[in-house]
Amino acid sequence: MVVGGGMAGATVAKYLRLWGSNIEVTLVEPNATYLSCIMSSLVLTGQRTMAAQSFNYKTLASRYGVKVVIDKVTGIDPANKRVTLAGGSTLTADRIVIAPGIDFDTVPGLSDPNAMPHAWKAGPQTTTLRKQLQAMPTRGTAILTIPPTPYRCPPGPYERACLLADWFKKYKPGAKLLVLDANPDFVTEKDNFSRAFFDLHGSVIEYHTSVAIQSADAATMTLQTSAGAVRGDVINLIPRQRCAPIVAATGLANATSGRFAGVDVLSYESQVAPGIHVIGDSSATTQPKAGHIANQEAKVCADAIVRLLAGQALDPAPVTNSACYSTITMSQASWLTAVFQYDAGSQAMASVANASGASSGWSADNFEQMNTWFKALMADTFA
């Protein structure tokens, strides 16, 4: 059974059927449509629609024989491999894969998250933030906050900042974007993002590091931070992140100070619950939390489960890889690639330095390749 139908859940369901045709697979997901976070910042600039971000489970069901149940999981009994659904029914399985994505810390003082939307899960908040940006005064101030690591999509906030800065130049001349980063420096792609922040978009972006968000006041559109009070016309407040509630409620959040689920990356089996696997953003690994990596973790997990159910040994040296494109302008992008190899000494996935890299700068060609990469990744996951 697979709980959650995002990039990790849909992929593992598909590949369990591809590689283990005798394995019955049930995918439980509360929404009939998946909205991709990847590329969703382009919805903010009007370059993509939410419809373009939408994917469903029809092909998983019709082509691969995955049984899709549209319902919400309200409880998991790891000892008996039993799942309780909001609709009242219970389901059992030999192994359960949990792939529910992330959740967000609450921000003191912010009773209505839509007043300062994070839009870090594609959906209604994406549309809300888009409308807020459109209504922002021409010479207004927007604020984008970056949470401490680990968070979903390491380049994502910096990419969004660049994209919005370029959009401001065209549609909101004179506007400013304050980027408040809880981390001491750029988390990734420092060369490209520092050039973009300080040179290309230097007239728009003000970048502040090591700034912790302490509270928010939607009535005055003010953030209290470790660097003092800051006010904005639009605030894209991205909170600190943790595993989804169902993971914590099941008692699996034993890593990263109780924020994420520790797993054996040879199989993504929970460190505390045999037969329960956790993949994607809710798991704690040395790999980034991102859609492409979730797709890769799902394949390692699917292969492991096929082997385990057949009484075979696990692959002792799995490899995962990730590609990521970052929009530096509304028409140009940079790229970043990473390869991870299992290291037996640390029992973790280790970055392979000579197989990883980043583009030197950005280009229109990269922007076109980004679209090709996205289509291929989503096809591999949902088609």
Side-chain angles (χ1 to χ4, degrees):
M1 186 182 308
V2 181
V3 177
M7 297 298 295
T11 303
V12 76
K14 173 180 174 177
Y15 277 85
L16 277 168
R17 290 293 299 153
L18 276 172
W19 296 339
S21 58
N22 61 328
I23 300 174
E24 293 182 8
V25 179
T26 299
L27 172 65
V28 184
E29 162 59 40
N31 303 301
T33 300
Y34 171 73
L35 296 173
S36 172
C37 294
I38 305 171
M39 304 277 276
S40 64
S41 285
L42 288 164
V43 175
L44 303 179
T45 57
Q47 294 174 265
R48 289 181 67 84
T49 64
M50 289 306 298
Q53 301 299 114
S54 302
F55 300 86
N56 60 53
Y57 307 99
K58 293 179 181 178
T59 302
L60 294 184
S62 63
R63 182 177 297 177
Y64 303 104
V66 175
K67 181 181 178 181
V68 179
V69 176
I70 303 302
D71 205 339
K72 181 179 180 179
V73 172
T74 56
I76 298 175
D77 176 354
N80 295 300
K81 310 295 185 299
R82 181 181 297 119
V83 165
T84 303
L85 304 183
S89 61
T90 59
L91 303 173
T92 59
D94 295 300
R95 287 184 176 267
I96 299 175
V97 182
I98 307 178
I102 54 168
D103 196 24
F104 302 89
D105 284 5
T106 57
V107 179
L110 188 62
S111 57
D112 179 10
N114 290 321
M116 299 180 182
H118 53 70
W120 219 239
K121 285 185 179 178
Q125 282 203 2
T126 310
T127 303
T128 297
L129 182 56
R130 161 72 173 159
K131 291 177 179 177
Q132 291 178 356
L133 290 166
Q134 287 178 309
M136 189 178 80
T138 300
R139 302 184 67 83
T141 298
I143 300 173
L144 185 154
T145 72
I146 303 175
T149 58
Y151 60 81
R152 169 181 280 175
C153 189
Y158 307 103
E159 169 191 20
R160 179 176 288 181
C162 291
L163 188 65
L164 291 181
D166 200 44
W167 185 81
F168 284 176
K169 290 175 184 178
K170 184 174 182 180
Y171 296 102
K172 302 289 179 179
K176 293 287 185 180
L177 177 62
L178 304 184
V179 180
L180 308 181
D181 194 342
N183 304 287
D185 202 352
F186 295 99
V187 169
T188 187
E189 251 187 288
K190 180 176 179 178
D191 289 347
N192 284 332
F193 286 129
S194 60
R195 283 178 55 203
F197 273 38
F198 304 132
D199 296 332
L200 180 65
H201 301 309
S203 62
V204 179
I205 293 177
E206 292 183 15
Y207 180 53
H208 303 273
T209 58
S210 301
V211 178
I213 306 303
Q214 298 169 339
S215 64
D217 184 345
T220 61
M221 290 299 286
T222 302
L223 298 176
Q224 295 294 334
T225 80
S226 57
V230 183
R231 185 191 176 282
D233 297 293
V234 175
I235 300 180
N236 181 194
L237 177 52
I238 306 172
R240 193 176 184 188
Q241 291 157 36
R242 58 172 63 243
C243 65
I246 191 65
V247 176
T250 308
L252 308 180
N254 66 318
T256 328
S257 301
R259 288 188 164 271
F260 297 96
V263 296
D264 174 1
V265 290
L266 288 178
S267 64
Y268 292 87
E269 190 167 15
S270 165
Q271 294 173 344
V272 296
I276 307 296
H277 305 253
V278 185
I279 55 175
D281 293 344
S282 273
S283 66
T285 77
T286 53
Q287 302 158 110
K289 298 183 185 301
H292 196 147
I293 280 290
N295 168 281
Q296 294 286 291
E297 291 177 359
K299 292 174 183 176
V300 174
C301 182
D303 174 70
I305 289 174
V306 170
R307 291 168 182 255
L308 287 166
L309 292 177
Q312 300 172 353
L314 298 174
D315 179 355
V319 175
T320 60
N321 68 82
S322 176
C324 179
Y325 289 84
S326 297
T327 48
I328 303 299
T329 73
M330 290 194 291
S331 60
Q332 296 181 314
S334 62
W335 56 260
L336 177 71
T337 61
V339 174
F340 298 88
Q341 169 78 60
Y342 182 74
D343 177 71
S346 63
Q347 297 184 328
M349 300 298 288
S351 176
V352 182
N354 60 2
S356 305
S359 64
S360 177
W362 45 87
S363 70
D365 285 345
N366 289 341
F367 196 94
E368 290 302 315
Q369 291 171 15
M370 174 180 69
N371 285 283
T372 301
W373 161 80
F374 176 72
K375 291 176 182 177
L377 177 61
M378 303 315 284
D380 185 53
T381 302
F382 290 97

